[in-house]
Structure formats: structure tokens, C-alpha cells
Amino acid sequence: MALVYLNGEYLPLEEAKVPVLDRGFIFGDGVYEVIPVYNRRPFRLSEHLRRLQHSLDGIRLANPHREAEWAERIGRIVAAAETEDQGVYLQVTRGPAPRDHAFPNAVQPTVFIMSNPLSTPPRAAVEQGVAAVTAVDNRWLRCDIKAIALLPNVLLRQLAVDAGCAETVLLRDGFLTEGAASNIFAVRDGVILAPPKSNLMLPGITYDVVLEIAQAKGFAHEVRQVSEAELRGADEIWQTSSTKEVTAVVRLDGQPVGTGKPGPVFWRMHAAYQDYKQTVMRAAS
Ligand code: PMP
């Protein structure tokens, strides 16, 4: 039977309850991770747990578990889930306390883990690409923290939904940062351009995979800032995330990107990514 983990207990989702004064509920005071699981094997678990540690450090919350403890808890949730491929969601908040902005003393953090079937991009999204809109990146200056306080991302993503699009591509001070829920790459003259990791974007695990594949397979690529003009004039734009994998953005603000179809570099990367998924991700330990 599918189970979730909450503060030391394994129980059905319906039975998992959190006090209303939990600081996650009151302040959005917590961080999270999403870990793709292939064949019941969490992909890059150590990297996800390192990113979790970075997020916890960023909000000055002690990690409630060591890596082996996380692995054990995640493993039990994965084992109890129905599907082989899953998306594990885990969240740590600063716990329940009387409402006051200041950190509470000696409060147990709330730890929650659940798993859902892994969603992957629909065939049509891969073959035809997706549309996106742009917006000013008006989030805070710690976008490298995977904070549960996602209201800015929610509002930005909704701009895409309202326009019948798949994603909102964010620009800060005239440069590409990322998507509302993905990392964004551009391709110009055959060269893959990736914004460098900084406090202005989430360091995506899929972003790393794409750059590693580019390196290993000899795709021309540069990690550097991408201006708005370069983005708008790009031959190809891609979005990446654990669930979107690599998907081509073929329309931006109603204008075609390049030919308006997924481009040749996308298809090469898509093939390499799928190959990597079958051989490495599915065999990851
Ligand atoms: N940026 C943002 C804002 C995200 O929410 C996500 C994940 N949904 C990503 C990038 C991609 O991260 P990953 O490749 O680890 O899924």
C-alpha cells in the first residue's frame, strides 16, 4: 500500500496531519526536494541530498537526518509505492510554534516524504515542442534555495497557463535566469548556451545532466549569461527539469523560436538524454 512518511511514521496520505501552526503553513518556512526514481532507484540521490543541505543551510535549519537516514526513509516510501518510476517529494519545515517571525527555540522540524508516479513529457510536447511566455523575474535573490515559499513561482507560472502556454521564461536585468519551474537553455549557431549557476536560479539536477551529456558527446556549449536579445534571437530554446526532461520551446511570446519546430540540436540532445536515461538513470544505484 502507498505510504507517506511524516515525522518518524509511515502512514496512508489521508492519515498524515500537520498542526496548523506549523511554520511551513504559516510562513512557508521550509525547503523541499523532488527526486526522480527510475525502476525504484532514486536518481542522483546524493546530489539531491546535497542540494537539500544547501537549501537547509540557506534557511539556517539543521538537517534532521544524515544521508543514510534519508536514504532509508526514501527507500521505504519508494518500496511501498505502486509504480516503478516515481517522483519522490520531500519537505522539511521549521516545525510547529506560536506565530512569531523569529526562529522558535528547540522545535522539532517537520519532515514529510511522499511519492507519486513519475510524470514525463507527453509525446506531443516532445515532438512538437511547447510554447512559453516571458516575464520579469521578480523573485527574491536566493533562488538557489529550493524554498517551499513558491508564491512568486506560482504567480509567474500562472501567466503561462493564462496564455495557454507551458512555461514562463524569466528575465532579470535583461538576462535569462530560468523558468518558473525549470531551467532554460538557448541554442545559437549550434552552440548550447546555459546561464551560470548563481543565487538567481535553482541549480537543476537535469541542468547538470544536460551539460554533462554536452561535454561527453562533444556538443558545443558555453556556460555564460544569455541576454534577452540572444534569447529572443535564439535558434532553439529548451526547458529542463526532472519531469520535463529536455523539451523544446518553439514559441516565445507568440513568436516562433527558430523554425518554430524542435531544432536539430534539440533532437541530438533528446536522443542522448533518452539513451542516458535507459542506460545510466535506470541502472543508477
Ligand atoms: N528551476 C526551478 C525554479 C524549478 O522549480 C525546477 C524543478 N521543478 C528546476 C529549475 C529544475 O530542477 P531539476 O532539474 O532538479 O528538476
Side-chain angles (χ1 to χ4, degrees):
M1 184 182 53
L3 295 173
V4 302
Y5 172 90
L6 182 64
N7 298 333
E9 285 189 273
Y10 296 85
L11 63 184
L13 180 65
E14 305 71 48
E15 290 173 27
K17 301 272 192 303
V18 179
V20 288
L21 285 183
D22 192 281
R23 289 177 63 98
F25 183 60
I26 296 289
F27 293 121
D29 185 359
V31 297
Y32 75 107
E33 268 301 321
V34 178
I35 307 166
V37 173
Y38 299 97
N39 287 354
R40 295 193 193 272
R41 294 189 192 95
F43 176 61
R44 297 207 169 175
L45 181 59
S46 296
E47 285 84 345
H48 280 97
L49 293 176
R50 252 204 306 279
R51 188 169 68 179
L52 175 68
Q53 185 64 57
H54 176 82
S55 296
L56 287 166
D57 291 345
I59 70 162
R60 297 167 58 190
L61 182 58
N63 194 332
H65 299 302
R66 296 172 206 284
E67 179 162 342
E69 293 168 344
W70 280 115
E72 201 260 329
R73 284 159 176 75
I74 292 166
R76 279 185 65 175
I77 295 302
V78 166
E82 274 157 26
T83 58
E84 297 282 301
D85 289 1
Q86 306 168 27
V88 166
Y89 175 92
L90 69 86
Q91 167 171 327
V92 184
T93 78
R94 210 178 304 274
R99 188 183 181 282
D100 179 12
H101 289 56
F103 294 172
N105 290 322
V107 165
Q108 279 296 108
T110 298
V111 178
F112 173 62
I113 311 174
M114 66 176 169
S115 182
N116 291 303
L118 185 68
S119 76
T120 50
R123 211 184 154 88
V126 175
E127 287 177 358
Q128 290 148 39
V130 299
V133 292
T134 60
V136 170
D137 192 343
N138 56 8
R139 301 173 300 164
W140 67 336
L141 296 174
R142 289 307 308 273
C143 297
D144 54 315
I145 297 174
K146 208 162 165 57
I148 59 167
L150 283 171
L151 185 55
N153 301 64
V154 166
L155 293 172
L156 289 164
R157 175 74 210 295
Q158 191 61 31
L159 296 176
V161 175
D162 293 346
C165 293
E167 181 58 303
T168 304
V169 175
L170 305 177
L171 294 155
R172 194 192 285 265
D173 300 329
F175 290 96
L176 168 66
T177 53
E178 59 178 336
S182 62
N183 289 112
I184 304 288
F185 293 74
V187 178
R188 289 176 64 92
D189 302 324
V191 181
I192 303 166
L193 303 178
K197 286 183 188 174
S198 75
N199 59 312
L200 302 181
M201 68 174 237
L202 187 81
I205 304 292
T206 320
Y207 167 101
D208 285 343
V209 171
V210 166
L211 286 179
E212 283 170 32
I213 291 174
Q215 184 72 35
K217 303 271 177 190
F219 289 69
H221 62 284
E222 289 175 19
V223 177
R224 64 162 175 83
Q225 288 212 307
V226 178
S227 72
E228 178 169 356
E230 286 179 309
L231 180 75
R232 295 200 185 278
D235 303 316
E236 303 184 22
I237 297 174
W238 309 340
Q239 58 169 358
T240 70
S241 78
S242 296
T243 52
K244 289 166 184 152
E245 302 183 344
V246 187
T247 316
V249 173
V250 295
R251 291 188 82 76
L252 192 66
D253 292 335
Q255 300 295 314
V257 176
T259 62
K261 293 195 176 122
V265 187
F266 166 76
W267 284 119
R268 281 176 58 213
M269 179 54 75
H270 174 72
Y273 189 93
Q274 292 308 317
D275 185 48
Y276 184 83
K277 187 169 148 182
Q278 293 312 328
T279 54
V280 181
M281 295 182 180
R282 292 195 169 282
S285 56

